[in-house]
Amino acid sequence: MYLSKLFIPITKDLPAEAKIKSHQLMLRAGMIKQSSAGIYSWLPLGFKVMKKIEQIVREEQNLIGAQEMLMPTIQSSELWKESGRYEDYGEEMLRIKDRQGREMLYGPTNEELITDIFRSSIKSYKSLPQILYHIQWKFRDEIRPRFGVMRCREFFMKDAYSFDLTDQDAKKSYNKMFYSYIRTFNRLGLKAIPMSADTGPIGGDLSHEFVILAETGESQIYADKKIFEIDLNKYDFSDKSLEKMREDFSSIYAVTDEKYKEKDFSKNVKKENQIKTRGIEVGHIFYFSDKYSKPLNCLIDTQDGKKISVKMGSYGIGISRLVGATIEANYNNNIMKWPKSVSPFDVVIIPSISKNNKENLEKAEKIYKELKKQNIDVLLDDVDENMSNKFKKHDLIGIPYQIIIGSKSEQNKYEFKELNSESEILSLESIKSKIKKN
Ligand code: ATP
Ligand code: MG
């Protein structure tokens, strides 16, 4: 893609409510445009990043055997009346009426709908376990939408639902999902801490929020640094190993405000290992047993001929929120550097261009074609603008690698720079292997 052709409405004027780095950067770099409070259009650059995040989430869900499907955004109120949540959900639910006067709603979450799908198709223990997921827009009429894509009214979420016969089996599904989440956030270049969270009236210890460290986050967190030392490669995919993995994570202190006690923190965590900061919740997994299957009468025949309510868990990842969260975690001193896995482009070529010298642009175009052939997603900055402005713009767009064609390039060697490091003069072959390897 040539930068002159890319739809990237870079803006300088920021609205007063854009208080945090990610919100400002997304507006300035033309990644999103607000359409009304807490509702955004995703412009090409922002959409590209979100799609990359979505794809990583999808691959990691598929890897644990979860099956992708798609449920509608608009739901009927009937199921929510059956579960008893139609009243309880309150004003966060956007309620609408169709032309026949039927009560409909824009789904804030999908426990009811998936339980209905499940109860009408699966009857026997033989068909269990199952994990289903979809990636879909949600609407919650948040009282205070803010921080750009972090707390929206309309947002993009992956939500998965597990179905098991027994609590024991459900725990296995939960552990798989736990493992999948750690892998997912690692691939996104984020350090996410699983924090044991409140399970509400059901009790038990099977609820975790995945939180990444960021001063602008909405939750206060307390954790032991040791949690970052756990190496996922230690565990295989057997149920026993995954149980051990979750226990290992759970044995290290990590809590949000709600569960924090000063005394426990200082007793359990060495002074030099104490993390006391703010964080952004990017995922939440939750085992709730028969909370929905019971009122919705979702029954399964057991091997000995009884009928029992299926045991369920739900597992969310805020995909659109993750775009903002990734910026919060990586934007420093006015430079944004996307993790390679989600960067909108793999590399940008920046030729120094002037009216009477098109030589650099021609060189750049040759390299562009060469990289394209290798399936490298490359942006060519063909805009006629001075180099210092170009660099400022690319500090904002955040593509991690730059090939600079200017005074420093030699015969068949070019200046190659990874954002936030010194540049080197390299042949195109070495540049290619650097882009691919790192
Ligand atoms: P929060 O406490 O942040 O409101 P929640 O407990 O309501 O989150 P869940 O229902 O578990 O969130 O949703 C799963 C994930 O969806 C969250 O971990 C978060 O990443 C994302 N999410 C939730 N609400 C929003 C929102 N209003 N805007 C953007 N993302 C959201
Ligand atoms: Mg919420």
Side-chain angles (χ1 to χ4, degrees):
M1 173 62 82
Y2 279 35
L3 185 58
S4 63
K5 303 273 178 349
L6 182 65
F7 186 85
I8 174 175
I10 288 182
T11 30
K12 293 219 171 70
D13 303 324
L14 292 175
E17 71 266 17
K19 291 205 178 65
I20 64 169
K21 293 181 290 188
S22 59
H23 190 188
Q24 294 170 350
L25 185 128
M26 289 183 81
L27 292 171
R28 281 172 62 200
M31 297 177 74
I32 49 169
K33 183 179 185 314
Q34 184 171 327
S35 120
S36 57
I39 303 180
Y40 288 87
S41 297
W42 288 77
L43 307 184
L45 194 72
F47 191 57
K48 219 170 165 195
V49 173
M50 185 162 76
K51 283 281 153 185
K52 289 202 167 179
I53 295 175
E54 176 188 356
Q55 185 54 22
I56 290 174
V57 170
R58 172 177 292 119
E59 285 168 17
E60 293 300 326
Q61 290 291 293
N62 293 346
L63 198 77
I64 58 160
Q67 300 163 68
E68 187 169 12
M69 60 181 298
L70 185 60
M71 289 176 266
T73 52
I74 306 291
Q75 304 180 16
S76 151
S77 63
E78 297 304 318
L79 290 169
W80 290 74
K81 286 180 180 158
E82 253 186 84
S83 75
R85 272 212 292 185
Y86 194 59
E87 296 308 320
D88 292 354
Y89 214 93
E91 298 209 287
E92 254 190 38
M93 182 188 279
L94 181 67
R95 295 153 207 260
I96 23 191
K97 276 207 177 112
D98 71 7
R99 66 199 299 168
Q100 320 287 356
R102 282 183 293 242
E103 290 173 319
M104 314 289 285
L105 56 101
Y106 194 123
T109 180
N110 281 62
E111 281 83 4
E112 281 79 358
L113 198 52
I114 194 82
T115 310
D116 179 53
I117 292 169
F118 205 82
R119 72 178 172 185
S120 59
S121 21
I122 301 290
K123 306 283 180 207
S124 161
Y125 72 95
K126 288 182 196 150
S127 308
L128 297 179
Q130 290 279 346
I131 303 178
L132 298 168
Y133 76 97
H134 76 157
I135 300 174
Q136 178 62 293
W137 293 97
K138 302 285 183 292
F139 195 96
R140 294 182 188 170
D141 203 354
E142 300 274 356
I143 186 155
R144 220 149 66 90
R146 58 191 176 144
F147 301 149
V149 302
M150 301 277 234
R151 185 158 298 283
C152 283
R153 295 199 295 164
E154 190 181 51
F155 59 99
F156 205 41
M157 195 214 275
K158 183 284 299 181
D159 42 327
Y161 303 89
S162 64
F163 301 85
D164 286 279
L165 193 64
T166 63
D167 285 329
Q168 202 72 13
D169 289 347
K171 212 171 192 179
K172 293 175 189 165
S173 297
Y174 187 91
N175 292 343
K176 278 186 192 159
M177 204 49 93
F178 192 108
Y179 174 82
S180 167
Y181 273 41
I182 302 276
R183 276 185 56 104
T184 302
F185 297 124
N186 283 348
R187 277 186 69 188
L188 296 174
L190 296 170
K191 283 183 169 173
I193 306 180
M195 310 237 159
S196 90
D198 272 339
T199 44
I202 300 152
D205 59 350
L206 291 186
S207 174
H208 286 87
E209 288 171 358
F210 289 76
V211 177
I212 64 162
L213 309 181
E215 276 155 29
T216 46
E218 288 184 292
S219 23
Q220 180 69 37
I221 59 171
Y222 305 85
D224 187 335
K225 257 196 201 133
K226 279 201 306 203
I227 202 142
F228 293 129
E229 288 163 17
I230 299 179
D231 176 10
L232 216 55
N233 294 315
K234 273 199 321 219
Y235 309 97
D236 61 44
F237 203 56
S238 67
D239 291 332
K240 217 171 138 192
S241 180
L242 292 182
E243 175 71 12
K244 173 82 172 69
M245 170 215 59
R246 190 175 51 78
E247 280 167 10
D248 289 349
F249 273 101
S250 304
S251 69
I252 297 176
Y253 193 92
V255 297
T256 56
D257 252 357
E258 294 157 11
K259 287 199 161 185
Y260 172 71
K261 286 198 191 82
E262 160 90 72
K263 229 175 50 209
D264 294 347
F265 188 50
S266 46
K267 199 176 87 192
N268 289 303
V269 188
K270 278 199 222 142
K271 193 112 196 116
E272 65 271 25
N273 282 349
Q274 291 182 357
I275 304 176
K276 215 187 238 187
T277 182
R278 301 189 71 79
I280 302 167
E281 181 195 317
V282 287
H284 192 175
I285 60 178
F286 194 37
Y287 176 55
F288 46 73
S289 190
D290 57 8
K291 182 171 174 193
Y292 300 99
S293 56
K294 211 169 182 175
L296 288 169
N297 214 22
C298 179
L299 298 171
I300 292 287
D301 297 323
T302 64
Q303 196 161 9
D304 44 16
K306 287 193 209 119
K307 283 193 189 302
I308 60 163
S309 304
V310 73
K311 305 288 192 290
M312 293 172 60
S314 79
Y315 314 86
I317 290 185
I319 294 187
S320 49
R321 179 181 285 184
L322 269 167
V323 180
T326 304
I327 296 173
E328 290 299 323
N330 291 287
Y331 184 36
N332 244 319
N333 294 326
N334 296 322
I335 298 179
M336 174 59 202
K337 184 182 174 195
W338 290 103
K340 203 188 148 192
S341 57
V342 299
S343 175
F345 292 92
D346 297 327
V347 58
V348 55
I349 309 174
I350 313 175
S352 151
I353 308 173
S354 65
K355 276 206 181 65
N356 12 6
N357 183 356
K358 295 276 181 260
E359 208 181 302
N360 286 337
L361 183 59
E362 281 159 18
K363 261 192 212 166
E365 286 178 324
K366 240 176 98 186
I367 298 173
Y368 177 84
K369 283 190 190 132
E370 183 75 27
L371 296 179
K372 274 278 185 198
K373 256 195 259 166
Q374 309 253 331
N375 262 332
I376 293 171
D377 191 11
V378 47
L379 182 69
L380 195 162
D381 186 347
D382 59 333
V383 179
D384 187 356
E385 196 179 27
N386 71 49
M387 287 302 259
S388 107
N389 280 349
K390 283 191 186 216
F391 288 130
K392 266 192 215 137
K393 189 162 56 190
H394 290 293
D395 282 347
L396 202 65
I397 299 175
I399 300 166
Y401 301 115
Q402 304 180 335
I403 301 171
I404 302 154
I405 318 276
S407 56
K408 285 194 195 160
S409 50
E410 299 163 10
Q411 188 70 28
N412 295 325
K413 285 199 169 179
Y414 311 96
E415 188 180 355
F416 177 74
K417 185 172 160 36
E418 180 168 357
L419 270 178
N420 291 325
S421 2
E422 293 300 313
S423 66
E424 309 166 79
I425 308 296
L426 296 174
S427 70
L428 196 55
E429 277 317 303
S430 332
I431 290 176
K432 275 188 228 162
S433 65
K434 282 230 171 201
I435 298 170
K436 287 191 166 160
K437 202 166 63 209
N438 285 321

